[in-house]
C-alpha cells in the first residue's frame, strides 16, 4: 500500500499509522452519527457515545463484534437492573451513578472470569480502555433513564449499538482505509457533508413513518 | 409514492422545527422564561394572565426547616421549579382528618393524595429535599420547590379523565394560534397529560373549539376513550376564545416567537396558563391529522398587531373543517341558533337582520315594521282596516272570508292565531329569504315583534335544508 506523502511524513515523525488512521476516521464516524440523526432519525446517546463505542468495538478485534456486543448488552442489562433496585432508595444523582458504575464494573469482571473458566481468554486479553469506555456507557444510560424513562433509554441504547456496529463496519472497510491513507484530503469532504446536514430541514425518514397516518389523511 | 412525498411537505419535522422556527424565533430570554416556572408565573401574572396562584416557595434547606406546614391549605400541588415531563409533582386533595394522633407528632398534619394514600409532613419534607437537590430538574442542578393552588377538574372533562387535569396545548406563531390539542390523562400516563407517557391527544378545530380526531400515546388513532363508548370528537371546549386570547397574549409577553402554551381550565376560575414551552412537540400533528408546516407557512409573512386580529386569522384559516365535513356528508348547511338572514321583498328591497332560528316554531314570522320596509305597507294597512277587531270566524262564512282576503293585494295567505283574546287572523306575505348563502321563497306571517329581541324567527317549515348547531 502506498501512503500519501503527508501520511508518510506523519509516520516518519513517529506517529503510528494506526493512530493516524483512527484519528482521520473519527470525522467519518462523527459524520455518520450526524447523518443518522438528521436524515434517518436514529438518535442514539448524542454523538460522543456512539463514536466511542465504534472505536471500542474496533479495539475488541479480532472478535470485535461478538465480544463488543456482549459487553454492551451486559452493561445495559446490569444498568437496568441496578436502576430497578436503587429506585426505591431515592438517592441523589452522583452517588446513584457511582453505585451503578461499581456494580457494572464488578459484573464485567465476573464475565471476564467466567469467560476464562470456559477457556475463552480472548475477552480477558483485551486492553482495559475499551472496557472502560463500555462501562461509562452506564452513566449515559442511567441519565437517560431518569430523564426520559426506561423504555426511551432502552431504545436509545439499541440505536447507539446499531450506529456503532455500522460505524465499525465502515471503519474496518478496507477500501475506505486505503482511500484515506492514499488521499487523506477526502476527510475534508466531511465538512461539506456536515455543513449541508446542518442546514437540512427535510423530514427524517423515521418521521415519514411516524406521521404516515397524517400523510394518508391529508 | 410521489404523492406521498408531496403531501409530506405539509408536515413539520424536527429538523425544520429546530432550524427554521425555534432557532430564529425563540431567543435566550424567552427560553429562560419557559424553563423557569416561577419566573414564568410572575411575568404572566404581571400581565394579568390567569395562572394558578403561588402559595409558597422553598429555595433551600434553611427555608425548609423554618417553613410552617400548618399554613398550607387543604389542597395544593407541590412542584419542582425546573421539572420536566410532569416529574416530581405531588398533588393533595384534602387534609387527613386527625382522628388519632398520627406519627410525626409535629402539629399532626397529613394530606390525602389522588390515589387515596396519605402523605405526612415528613414525606413532604423528604420530597422537597429531593427537589432542592435537583432530583427532578434537567441535568440535576439544584432547584426550588413551590406550592401552588390545586386546579379543580371541570365537570365536562370528568368522564374523559383518569385522575389529573386535562390541558390544552396551543401552538402560536406570529401571534396566530396555529394548532391546538386537548390532552387527557389516562391510566397508562398515570394521570399526567403527557402524550409520551400514554395520554390521549385530541385535535381541536380552531374556529369552534370542538374536538376532532384523537390519538392515544405516540400515534395510535382512536375514536373513543379506551374501555368506554365515550366519543372523543365533538367535545366543545368552554371559554375557547378566551383560551386563544390568553395564548396569544402569553406569546407577546414571553418573547417566544414559536410557542407551545399549555392551558388548563379550572372549575371555578376558568382558563389558567400552566406552562409555556419553547420546544413544543410535534405529535400535535398526529392528533389533528394535519401538517404544521403548511399552516406555519401560510401565516409567516402576515403583520399582526392585535390579539383580536391574530385570533380571527387563526380561527378563519385553521378551523371550520368540522362544519364543512358535516355539510358535505348531510348535504345540509350548519347554522347557529342566531343567524344573519337577508330578506328580499317587493321590488328587490333587501334587509339584513339577525334572526332567531326557532325549531319550536312551525312557521316563520317577521315584525310588521320589517314587512312595511320590504314594501308590504299597503297590504298590511288594507288588511288591518278590513280585519282588525273583527271576529271573522264567527261573522263570516268560509267563502265570505276567502273573498274578503282576496281583495287584499299581495296577500299570500292568512295565519290563524289562537290566543287568550280568541281567534285572530294574521297576514302572510311571500318574500325571499337567504340564510348562509341559500335562498328560497317563503311565506311568512307578519306579527308585532317590536318588544321581542329578534325581529325575525325562522320556523321548522323553512329549516329543512339546515342543521342547527346551538353552540355556534
Amino acid at each position: 500500500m502506498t501512503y500519501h506523502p503527508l501520511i508518510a511524513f506523519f509516520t516518519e515523525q513517529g506517529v503510528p499509522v494506526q493512530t493516524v488512521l483512527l484519528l482521520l476516521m473519527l470525522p467519518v464516524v462523527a459524520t455518520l452519527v450526524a447523518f443518522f440523526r438528521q436524515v434517518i432519525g436514529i438518535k442514539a446517546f448524542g454523538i460522543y457515545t456512539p463514536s466511542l463505542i465504534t472505536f471500542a468495538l474496533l479495539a475488541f478485534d479480532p472478535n470485535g463484534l461478538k465480544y463488543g456486543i456482549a459487553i454492551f448488552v451486559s452493561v445495559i442489562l446490569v444498568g437496568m437492573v441496578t436502576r430497578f433496585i436503587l429506585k426505591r432508595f431515592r438517592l441523589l444523582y452522583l452517588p446513584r451513578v457511582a453505585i451503578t458504575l461499581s456494580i457494572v464494573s464488578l459484573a464485567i469482571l465476573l464475565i471476564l472470569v467466567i469467560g476464562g473458566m470456559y477457556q475463552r481468554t480472548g475477552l480477558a486479553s483485551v486492553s482495559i480502555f475499551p472496557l472502560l469506555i463500555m462501562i461509562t456507557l452506564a452513566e449515559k444510560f442511567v441519565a437517560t433513564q431518569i430523564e426520559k424513562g426506561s423504555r426511551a433509554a432502552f431504545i436509545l441504547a439499541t440505536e447507539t449499538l446499531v450506529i456503532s456496529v455500522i460505524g465499525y463496519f465502515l471503519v474496518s472497510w478496507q477500501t475506505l482505509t486505503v482511500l484515506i491513507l492514499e488521499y487523506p484530503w477526502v476527510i475534508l469532504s466531511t465538512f461539506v457533508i456536515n455543513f449541508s446536514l446542518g442546514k437540512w430541514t427535510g423530514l427524517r425518514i423515521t418521521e415519514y413513518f411516524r406521521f404516515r397516518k397524517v400523510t394518508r389523511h391529508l | 409514492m410521489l404523492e406521498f412525498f408531496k403531501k409530506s411537505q405539509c408536515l413539520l419535522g424536527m429538523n425544520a422545527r429546530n432550524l427554521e422556527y425555534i432557532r430564529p424565533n425563540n431567543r435566550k430570554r424567552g427560553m429562560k422564561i419557559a424553563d423557569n416556572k416561577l419566573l414564568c408565573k410572575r411575568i404572566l401574572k404581571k400581565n394579568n394572565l390567569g395562572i394558578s396562584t403561588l402559595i409558597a416557595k422553598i429555595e433551600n434547606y434553611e427555608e425548609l426547616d423554618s417553613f410552617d406546614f400548618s399554613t398550607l391549605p387543604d389542597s395544593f400541588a407541590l412542584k419542582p421549579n425546573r421539572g420536566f415531563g410532569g416529574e416530581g409533582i405531588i398533588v393533595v386533595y384534602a387534609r387527613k382528618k386527625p382522628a388519632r394522633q398520627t406519627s410525626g407528632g409535629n402539629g399532626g398534619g397529613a394530606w390525602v393524595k389522588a390515589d387515596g394514600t396519605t402523605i405526612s409532613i415528613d414525606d413532604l419534607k423528604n420530597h422537597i429535599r429531593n427537589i432542592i437537590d435537583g432530583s427532578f430538574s434537567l441535568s440535576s442542578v439544584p432547584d426550588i420547590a413551590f406550592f401552588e393552588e390545586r386546579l379543580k377538574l371541570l365537570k365536562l372533562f370528568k368522564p374523559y379523565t383518569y385522575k389529573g387535569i386535562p390541558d390544552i396545548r396551543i401552538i402560536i406563531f406570529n401571534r396566530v394560534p396555529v394548532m391546538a390539542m386537548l390532552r387527557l390523562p389516562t391510566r397508562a400516563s398515570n394521570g399526567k397529560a403527557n402524550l409520551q407517557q400514554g395520554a390521549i391527544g385530541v385535535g381541536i378545530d380552531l374556529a369552534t373549539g370542538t374536538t376532532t380526531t384523537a390519538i392515544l400515546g405516540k400515534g395510535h388513532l382512536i375514536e373513543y376513550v379506551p374501555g368506554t363508548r365515550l366519543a372523543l370528537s365533538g367535545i366543545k371546549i368552554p371559554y375557547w376564545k378566551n383560551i386563544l386570547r390568553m395564548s396569544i397574549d402569553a406569546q407577546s409577553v414571553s418573547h417566544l416567537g414559536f410557542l407551545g402554551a399549555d392551558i388548563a381550565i379550572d372549575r371555578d376560575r376558568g382558563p389558567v396558563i400552566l406552562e409555556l414551552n419553547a420546544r413544543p412537540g410535534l405529535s400535535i400533528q398526529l392528533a389533528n391529522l394535519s401538517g404544521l408546516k403548511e399552516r406555519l407557512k401560510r401565516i409567516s409573512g402576515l403583520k399582526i398587531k392585535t390579539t383580536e386580529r391574530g385570533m380571527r386569522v387563526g380561527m378563519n384559516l385553521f378551523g371550520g373543517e368540522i362544519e364543512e365535513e358535516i355539510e358535505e356528508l348531510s348535504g345540509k348547511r350548519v347554522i347557529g341558533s342566531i343567524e344573519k338572514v337577508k330578506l328580499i321583498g317587493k321590488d328587490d328591497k333587501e334587509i339584513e337582520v339577525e334572526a332567531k332560528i326557532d325549531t319550536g316554531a312551525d312557521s316563520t314570522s317577521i315584525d310588521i315594521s320589517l314587512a312595511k320596509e320590504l314594501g308590504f305597507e299597503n297590504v298590511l294597512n288594507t288588511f288591518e282596516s278590513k280585519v282588525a277587531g273583527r271576529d271573522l270566524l264567527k261573522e263570516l262564512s268560509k267563502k265570505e272570508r276567502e273573498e274578503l282576503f282576496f281583495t287584499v293585494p299581495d296577500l299570500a295567505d292568512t295565519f290563524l292565531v289562537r290566543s287568550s283574546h280568541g281567534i285572530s287572523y294574521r297576514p302572510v306575505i311571500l318574500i325571499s329569504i337567504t340564510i348562509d348563502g341559500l335562498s328560497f321563497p317563503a311565506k311568512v306571517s307578519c306579527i308585532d315583534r317590536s318588544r321581542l329581541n329578534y325581529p325575525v324567527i325562522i320556523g321548522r317549515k323553512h329549516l329543512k335544508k339546515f342543521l342547527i348547531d346551538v353552540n355556534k
Side-chain angles (χ1 to χ4, degrees):
Chain A
M1 187 160 51
T2 53
Y3 292 162
H4 186 272
L6 192 70
I7 306 282
F9 172 72
F10 289 161
T11 48
E12 274 162 35
Q13 304 310 307
V15 187
V17 70
Q18 195 59 25
T19 308
V20 174
L21 185 63
L22 286 183
L23 285 176
L24 289 181
M25 278 293 186
L26 188 69
V28 178
V29 176
T31 308
L32 178 80
V33 178
F35 179 84
F36 267 82
R37 164 74 71 92
Q38 305 304 337
V39 178
I40 297 178
I42 296 182
K43 282 202 192 87
F45 295 129
I47 191 163
Y48 168 81
T49 311
S51 313
L52 275 186
I53 302 283
T54 300
F55 289 107
L57 289 180
L58 282 171
F60 280 118
D61 268 343
N63 283 316
L65 276 190
K66 201 165 79 186
Y67 291 150
I69 293 175
I71 298 282
F72 187 98
V73 171
S74 325
V75 169
I76 297 300
L77 283 183
V78 175
M80 275 170 98
V81 172
T82 319
R83 145 110 171 164
F84 184 72
I85 297 168
L86 292 182
K87 207 175 175 181
R88 70 189 76 170
F89 297 112
R90 283 216 158 275
L91 298 177
L92 295 181
Y93 179 70
L94 282 188
R96 179 161 45 167
V97 175
I99 294 176
T100 313
L101 284 184
S102 317
I103 295 180
V104 169
S105 49
L106 290 178
I108 298 291
L109 183 61
L110 195 70
I111 291 172
L112 295 188
V113 172
I114 292 173
M117 280 159 67
Y118 289 92
Q119 322 303 327
R120 295 190 180 271
T121 46
L123 193 53
S125 62
V126 168
S127 113
I128 180 68
F129 285 103
L131 281 177
L132 282 181
I133 288 174
M134 288 285 192
I135 291 170
T136 54
L137 172 75
E139 190 207 348
K140 207 72 193 163
F141 185 71
V142 172
T144 317
Q145 269 189 327
I146 294 170
E147 275 180 31
K148 297 177 178 155
S150 292
R151 217 182 104 87
F154 185 74
I155 292 170
L156 285 177
T158 316
E159 290 177 346
T160 304
L161 187 60
V162 169
I163 294 183
S164 304
V165 169
I166 293 172
Y168 167 84
F169 281 119
L170 191 69
V171 176
S172 32
W173 185 26
Q174 205 55 41
T175 319
L176 188 68
T177 314
V178 172
L179 187 72
I180 285 180
L181 290 178
E182 279 184 35
Y183 310 97
W185 300 117
V186 293
I187 289 306
L188 294 182
S189 67
T190 60
F191 288 94
V192 182
I193 296 172
N194 278 313
F195 203 83
S196 30
L197 285 178
K199 292 280 179 197
W200 169 249
T201 58
L203 286 180
R204 298 172 184 174
I205 287 172
T206 51
E207 284 172 341
Y208 282 107
F209 181 74
R210 178 183 173 194
F211 294 122
R212 66 196 183 283
K213 281 169 185 156
V214 183
T215 322
R216 214 177 292 152
H217 192 264
L218 285 172
Chain B
M1 195 63 193
L2 207 69
E3 180 100 338
F4 177 80
F5 283 106
K6 216 171 158 189
K7 280 177 178 171
S8 297
Q9 295 304 306
C10 298
L11 295 167
L12 184 70
M14 276 293 178
N15 292 334
R17 182 196 77 169
N18 294 343
L19 203 63
E20 290 178 354
Y21 293 98
I22 294 183
R23 195 74 65 77
N25 296 303
N26 293 355
R27 309 312 302 192
K28 215 171 174 181
R29 188 172 158 209
M31 291 281 201
K32 222 171 124 186
I33 298 172
D35 290 340
N36 186 333
K37 291 199 182 96
L38 286 168
L39 177 65
C40 179
K41 253 182 198 307
R42 203 155 58 227
I43 288 171
L44 292 175
K45 197 179 176 186
K46 210 169 78 187
N47 290 282
N48 289 321
L49 289 165
I51 50 161
S52 57
T53 322
L54 182 68
I55 298 168
K57 61 177 177 178
I58 299 177
E59 294 191 37
N60 48 45
Y61 279 18
E62 286 94 73
E63 283 186 27
L64 176 62
D65 286 337
S66 59
F67 186 73
D68 182 5
F69 281 83
S70 63
T71 58
L72 286 173
D74 289 350
S75 75
F76 59 82
L78 171 61
K79 295 182 175 179
N81 186 32
R82 291 172 189 276
F84 52 89
E87 287 290 326
I89 296 177
I90 289 184
V91 183
V92 304
Y93 286 73
R95 206 179 275 269
K96 188 162 173 65
K97 294 204 175 68
R100 272 173 286 132
Q101 189 73 14
T102 43
S103 65
N106 42 8
W111 285 265
V112 183
K113 287 201 287 184
D115 52 5
T117 57
T118 54
I119 182 161
S120 68
I121 288 181
D122 283 341
D123 293 335
L124 282 178
K125 276 186 178 168
N126 204 13
H127 189 78
I128 293 169
R129 267 183 221 113
N130 268 312
I131 292 177
I132 293 174
D133 289 335
S135 299
F136 305 105
S137 68
L138 268 172
S139 52
S140 306
V141 291
D143 202 0
I144 302 172
F146 66 92
F147 295 96
E148 66 174 26
E149 176 196 51
R150 176 178 72 89
L151 295 177
K152 291 186 207 76
L153 181 61
L154 202 66
K155 279 227 170 65
L156 167 72
F157 289 147
K158 211 163 205 168
Y160 302 97
T161 310
Y162 176 80
K163 291 181 186 170
I165 297 268
D167 69 2
I168 295 150
R169 158 66 60 87
I170 304 180
I171 306 259
I172 303 113
F173 177 64
N174 193 16
R175 284 188 163 226
V176 178
V178 185
M179 205 179 266
M181 85 173 149
L182 171 70
R183 297 185 295 191
L184 302 166
T186 59
R187 187 180 291 270
S189 75
N190 200 16
K192 284 171 190 146
N194 185 335
L195 250 59
Q196 298 298 318
Q197 292 176 19
I200 297 172
V202 198
I204 301 176
D205 181 275
L206 280 192
T208 56
T210 313
T211 56
T212 54
T213 46
I215 50 159
L216 178 66
K218 286 180 182 170
H220 183 64
L221 281 176
I222 52 171
E223 279 180 43
Y224 302 97
V225 178
T228 70
R229 295 301 282 172
L230 271 175
L232 285 163
S233 62
I235 306 172
K236 167 87 186 161
I237 291 169
Y239 310 104
W240 182 243
K241 282 191 178 175
N242 257 345
I243 291 172
L244 289 180
R245 267 187 217 111
M246 278 171 86
S247 59
I248 299 168
D249 287 341
Q251 183 190 27
S252 349
V253 303
S254 67
H255 301 279
L256 287 162
F258 183 68
L259 167 71
D262 291 350
I263 297 180
I265 303 175
D266 182 68
R267 198 195 301 159
D268 306 324
R269 299 188 38 212
V272 292
I273 299 183
L274 287 182
E275 215 179 315
L276 301 180
N277 277 285
R279 306 169 198 84
L282 301 173
S283 302
I284 194 169
Q285 301 179 101
L286 276 165
N288 281 280
L289 286 181
S290 176
L292 258 179
K293 194 171 196 176
E294 189 218 0
R295 292 189 178 196
L296 289 167
K297 270 188 186 153
R298 284 169 75 181
I299 52 163
S300 63
L302 301 180
K303 284 207 170 53
I304 302 218
K305 293 220 174 68
T306 65
T307 303
E308 215 58 28
R309 170 115 180 86
M311 187 178 82
R312 284 270 144 234
V313 171
M315 289 172 92
N316 289 339
L317 283 180
F318 311 125
E321 278 141 28
I322 306 177
E323 267 170 35
E324 279 163 28
E325 240 170 65
I326 292 172
E327 284 174 5
E328 226 169 80
L329 276 174
S330 63
K332 293 181 181 183
R333 278 157 206 272
V334 179
I335 55 174
S337 51
I338 305 299
E339 194 75 24
K340 265 233 159 70
V341 300
K342 201 198 280 176
L343 309 175
I344 304 166
K346 277 168 83 174
D347 308 325
D348 290 331
K349 286 195 178 98
E350 283 182 17
I351 307 176
E352 220 176 39
V353 285
E354 281 200 326
K356 189 174 170 197
I357 307 299
D358 188 354
T359 51
D362 191 43
S363 60
T364 299
S365 56
I366 65 171
D367 187 46
I368 289 173
S369 67
L370 275 179
K372 285 179 180 167
E373 274 181 66
L374 287 167
F376 292 96
E377 184 158 12
N378 197 15
V379 190
L380 293 173
N381 290 342
T382 323
F383 190 85
E384 277 311 294
S385 66
K386 288 191 176 172
V387 180
R390 293 169 67 179
D391 194 343
L392 291 178
L393 213 55
K394 275 186 194 154
E395 275 177 41
L396 303 170
S397 68
K398 194 179 175 197
K399 203 176 172 197
E400 281 170 322
R401 285 202 303 271
E402 271 170 14
E403 272 167 10
L404 174 69
F405 292 143
F406 196 68
T407 58
V408 182
D410 291 326
L411 186 71
D413 202 347
T414 53
F415 182 62
L416 206 58
V417 184
R418 288 164 212 273
S419 68
S420 51
H421 306 296
I423 292 166
S424 64
Y425 277 95
R426 298 304 321 160
V428 173
I429 53 174
L430 180 69
I431 59 169
S432 170
I433 303 181
T434 307
I435 306 176
D436 196 30
L438 193 72
S439 300
F440 48 89
K443 287 180 180 175
V444 301
S445 60
C446 308
I447 296 177
D448 180 17
R449 296 182 58 85
S450 57
R451 265 176 293 167
L452 299 165
N453 284 338
Y454 298 95
V456 177
I457 58 168
I458 310 284
R460 283 197 298 275
K461 210 182 261 175
H462 300 125
L463 291 173
K464 285 175 185 152
K465 288 179 178 162
F466 300 96
L467 292 174
I468 292 121
D469 175 2
V470 290
N471 291 316
K472 206 170 163 181

